[in-house]
Each structure stands twice: as C-alpha cells, then as structure tokens.
Amino acid sequence: MYSELKHGSYLEEMTDHIEKKIAERFDEIEKVAQTNQFKVLQSFREHQISDSHLNGSTGYGYDDFGREGLEAIYADVFGGEAALVRPQLISGTHAITVALFGVLRPGDELMYITGKPYDTLEGVLGINGKGQSSLKDFQIESRIIPLKDHKIDTEKVIQSISSKTKVIALQRSCGYARRPSFHIDQLKEVIQCIKKAHPNVIVFVDNCYGEFVELKEPCHVGADLIAGSLIKNPGGGLAKVGGYIVGKEHLVERCAERLTAPGLGKEVGPTLTHLSDMYQGFFLAPHVTSQALKGAIFTAALMEELGMSTTPKWDTKRTDLIQSVTFENEQDMVTFCQGIQMASPINSHVTPYPSPMPGYSDKVIMAAGTFVQGASIELSADGPIRQPYTVFVQGGLTYEHVKVALITTLDQLMSQWK
C-alpha cells in the first residue's frame, strides 16, 4: 500500500509510531466490546430467537412475533421497559421527532439543556422559521439552555424548569458542535439532580452515535426515553433503514401511536424483509462499533501528530463515534473529504463538493461512499462550510478501512501543502 503513495515512506513510519502509541486504548475498546457482546448474546438466548423470527411480515404487520422479539431485545440491552424498533423510522431525526411529538402536548415546554441541537432538529423544534409542522406550530415551546464551559449548567436548568416543562432533552453526542460529547456518568449525575428536584419531568436523550461505546446506555442511569438510528451503531452496518425508541412502557406506547395511529400503536407495522438484517446487525453492533472507535482514535492521533486540532483528543475517554478535525482553510477541508470519498468502496469515482442540504443553514460537504445511503456507522466525513473549518469523521465497518482511507487522503493533502 505505502509503495503506491507519493509520501508512502513517511506515512508508513508515522503509522507504525501512532499504532504503538494508541495500543493501550485499543485494548480498552476491545474489553468494552467483549462485555457488550456478551450482553447482546445473553438477550438473544433469553428471548429464544429462532430462524422463524427473521421472516418478517407484510400489509398491516399484525402478530409479527419477529418484530416483537427484536423490540424485546432492544429494551433489554438498552435498559428500558419497552422498545419501538421499526423500518418506518427513517432516521435518527425522525425517531427523535416521533418521540417528542409522542409525549409532548400543546401548552407543554421542551427544554434542551445541552445547548443548541444539531441543524436538522431546528425545523422540528421550530426555531429556524422553516417547516410547517414543527412543535412550535402545535403550541409546544422549546427553550435552549446554553452550556457553561462545555458542561451542562445543572443549576440553571433546575431553576428554569416551570410547571409547563414536560420534557428535558439531552443530546449525548456533539453533533456539528465543537464541544465534548457527554459520557454516561455525566448524564447520570445531571439526570439524578433533575429528578430529585423535579421527579415528574420526562428526561429524553438523543442517543445517536453513542450505542455500545460504553458499558451502559442512558436508560440505565435514569433516562425515561432514548432514540437513535439503525444506520448508525446498533444496525451493525447491515440494517438498511430504521430507527429505535426505548424507555418507559407508557411513553413508548405514546410514541408508537404517533408513528402509526391512536389505538393501533405497536400492534401494526410490517417488517417486510428487514428483520434478518436488523437482528444480525444488532448482534454484530458491539464489534462494529469497536472498529469505528479504533478508527476514530487512530484518526485523532495521526492528525494531532501533523499539528491539526482534533476533538476529542486521541487519549480522551470516548462516549460516541464522532471525531472532529479542524483545518486552517476551506480548501484543506474540502480536499480531506474528497480524499475520504475516493477511498470509499462505493462511488469512489464521484467527487463531492460543498452544496446546500435540507435542514442545514450552510453549504455542506459530505463524503459518504457507503453501502447504505447516509449510514454513519460506515466511514464518512462531512461538515458545514463555515469557520472553523471542521470535518466530522465517523464510522468505519473495519479499522483497516479507516486506516487505509486516512493514509491515502493524507497523501493527497501533503502534496497540496507543498
């Protein structure tokens, strides 16, 4: 591989140095993956999953015991009483939208306490003037509590909760913000403080990118409801579509009635041919997530060695897959993303350029040569074209692919720097 690169000798020497430096972190990741794999396997065995569970249903989807088994496993592994796992949930944003509309009612208040949510949720909340069916259009107000020194301002949150505050929302991952993501222990501390002062408020956590990174999920530490996407961590790279909502049974049922219809709830919803991929993807998810994490740490360590600004740093404890790299100018940012696209298995011949994207206020460049469109568990690199010029790198079905892609991309960047 290195012999085909212009700067191959330098990059090979650099790579060997980096991999020795980060070896201990890799060992830690593998231990977490092993424990999470055991939990998933135990759940499959407990619920006696058989080949009959993989067949799926059509039409209305009545009596789909394969779907029921999958939802029982999600609830079990993610620490909830019930789960909604459906191909009809098309993305993480959609799952979050269903969850919020499911539990909020006109006159209620939603309070986001991890700062401004990522761009695609602004239209859902109705804080960017776009869309015609936002929470705001249904007389559900949203309030955003800014972070204080990159931490949740728990004191201000508790003081700000009123009789109208129905849901407290936390975004576990940094999204497109240059702030640290929030670890499970941090979420636990905040949730406990909120619940002690206001026990009836519903705590919702956007769990996207965080599944299987740590040994616990937000429901294990007091969250009432969580949501995420199957084309991120829990789909294991096999799920072609889908999202999940896990939490308290009565809240999940409300979400189900929002997704389907009042009175029908979880009883309907065909799974078609998706169940086999969803089951197998969830079984593989702890391992695949560990591969992506290794890739993120390697990326951070290598880019830091070259003088780049990264978040988080390579030796920082992780709680999600996202790795940001900040470049000095737009051109370097664009070249990096184009290099990742060129090193992708799908559409490697296509060159991405910054362009408008629904839900975002700035042009976005997106490198995503993935088998599943938009799958963030597969290697991708993207970001809005605005200062600071930060690329968000996530995913990687195998560590080897992340390594190859990064090295070939850096070879192009180094030629540009000279």
Side-chain angles (χ1 to χ4, degrees):
M1 174 180 68
Y2 294 101
S3 63
E4 298 182 12
L5 303 176
K6 185 176 180 180
H7 307 280
S9 297
Y10 173 78
L11 287 169
E12 183 176 17
E13 182 180 339
M14 178 71 74
T15 298
D16 289 343
H17 165 68
I18 293 298
E19 288 188 315
K20 290 176 182 177
K21 184 167 71 171
I22 63 181
E24 187 175 335
R25 293 288 291 113
F26 279 18
D27 289 342
E28 294 170 2
I29 290 170
E30 289 169 4
K31 288 177 181 177
V32 171
Q34 182 172 295
T35 301
N36 283 330
Q37 187 69 71
F38 178 75
K39 288 193 295 186
V40 171
L41 177 59
Q42 285 292 83
S43 188
F44 270 69
R45 295 169 65 189
E46 180 181 340
H47 295 287
Q48 299 182 343
I49 302 305
S50 67
D51 52 358
S52 298
H53 284 81
L54 311 180
N55 294 330
S57 59
T58 60
Y60 297 125
Y62 286 130
D63 303 316
D64 189 332
F65 70 93
R67 181 189 67 214
E68 293 170 359
L70 182 65
E71 291 179 339
I73 288 173
Y74 264 77
D76 184 22
V77 173
F78 286 170
E81 297 174 357
L84 189 66
V85 187
R86 304 296 171 101
Q88 290 81 15
L89 291 168
I90 62 171
S91 67
T93 297
H94 186 205
I96 294 165
T97 301
V98 169
L100 295 178
F101 271 99
V103 300
L104 288 161
R105 298 292 181 268
D108 289 342
E109 179 186 70
L110 166 68
M111 185 182 294
Y112 253 90
I113 67 171
T114 47
K116 186 179 178 183
Y118 46 77
D119 298 38
T120 56
L121 283 174
E122 291 183 8
V124 177
L125 273 57
I127 61 176
N128 63 0
K130 298 179 180 179
Q132 301 177 27
S133 301
S134 68
L135 291 172
K136 188 174 183 178
D137 290 322
F138 284 81
Q139 289 78 54
I140 300 169
E141 294 298 323
S142 300
R143 192 173 0 162
I144 297 172
I145 305 297
L147 297 176
K148 184 177 181 181
D149 299 325
H150 294 307
K151 296 180 181 179
I152 298 171
D153 192 347
T154 308
E155 184 177 346
K156 184 175 181 180
V157 169
I158 293 174
Q159 292 174 350
S160 300
I161 294 174
S162 70
S163 59
K164 291 185 176 182
T165 308
K166 180 74 167 293
V167 174
I168 297 291
L170 302 94
Q171 182 178 299
R172 179 177 177 181
S173 179
C174 61
Y176 275 162
R178 295 189 69 206
R179 63 142 172 100
S181 299
F182 294 108
H183 299 277
I184 292 298
D185 287 343
Q186 293 172 308
L187 296 181
K188 178 181 179 179
E189 183 179 352
V190 172
I191 292 171
Q192 286 181 341
C193 289
I194 292 172
K195 286 290 189 177
K196 184 177 180 180
H198 300 276
N200 294 324
V201 73
I202 297 169
V203 175
F204 168 79
V205 177
D206 169 1
N207 204 34
C208 288
Y209 301 105
E211 303 91 348
F212 295 118
V213 176
E214 298 192 63
L215 295 175
K216 292 182 179 180
E217 303 296 332
C219 285
H220 290 123
V221 296
D224 299 298
L225 205 61
I226 64 174
S229 167
L230 299 199
I231 61 171
K232 294 183 175 67
N233 309 23
L238 291 184
K240 305 298 188 295
V241 69
Y244 74 88
I245 299 171
V246 172
K248 298 290 180 60
E249 187 171 6
H250 70 285
L251 297 178
V252 172
E253 187 56 46
R254 290 184 190 179
C255 298
E257 293 200 343
R258 170 68 188 188
L259 179 64
T260 60
L264 297 179
K266 294 179 65 179
E267 299 304 315
V268 297
T271 49
L272 305 174
T273 60
H274 295 290
L275 279 178
S276 181
D277 287 344
M278 287 180 173
Y279 271 110
Q280 190 174 10
F282 195 66
F283 178 75
L284 292 174
H287 173 71
V288 174
T289 299
S290 75
Q291 295 293 292
L293 279 173
K294 288 181 179 180
I297 289 172
F298 176 77
T299 299
L302 188 54
M303 299 306 281
E304 287 171 32
E305 194 80 16
L306 294 172
M308 299 287 149
S309 174
T310 67
T311 302
K313 302 298 183 184
W314 74 267
D315 55 351
T316 300
K317 181 182 176 182
R318 303 271 166 156
T319 190
D320 67 4
L321 298 185
I322 296 180
Q323 178 62 54
S324 73
V325 181
T326 299
F327 295 90
E328 292 183 356
N329 54 68
E330 178 180 336
Q331 183 57 55
D332 284 354
M333 176 183 179
V334 170
T335 299
F336 180 86
C337 291
Q338 290 175 341
I340 294 295
Q341 182 74 39
M342 192 179 298
S344 298
I346 306 298
N347 291 329
S348 61
H349 59 289
V350 175
T351 303
Y353 291 96
S355 60
M357 183 171 291
Y360 295 92
S361 56
D362 300 280
K363 287 185 177 181
V364 174
I365 185 166
M366 181 170 289
T370 56
F371 291 95
V372 176
Q373 187 183 85
S376 302
I377 189 58
E378 300 182 53
L379 180 61
S380 62
D382 52 81
I385 305 298
R386 61 191 180 208
Q387 292 183 320
Y389 297 105
T390 300
V391 173
F392 296 86
V393 185
Q394 59 259 326
L397 297 177
T398 68
Y399 166 66
E400 291 80 7
H401 176 220
V402 179
K403 179 179 174 180
V404 169
L406 187 62
I407 290 170
T408 54
T409 299
L410 281 175
D411 192 55
Q412 297 177 50
L413 262 178
M414 290 171 69
S415 296
Q416 181 172 292
W417 293 337
K418 289 185 177 181

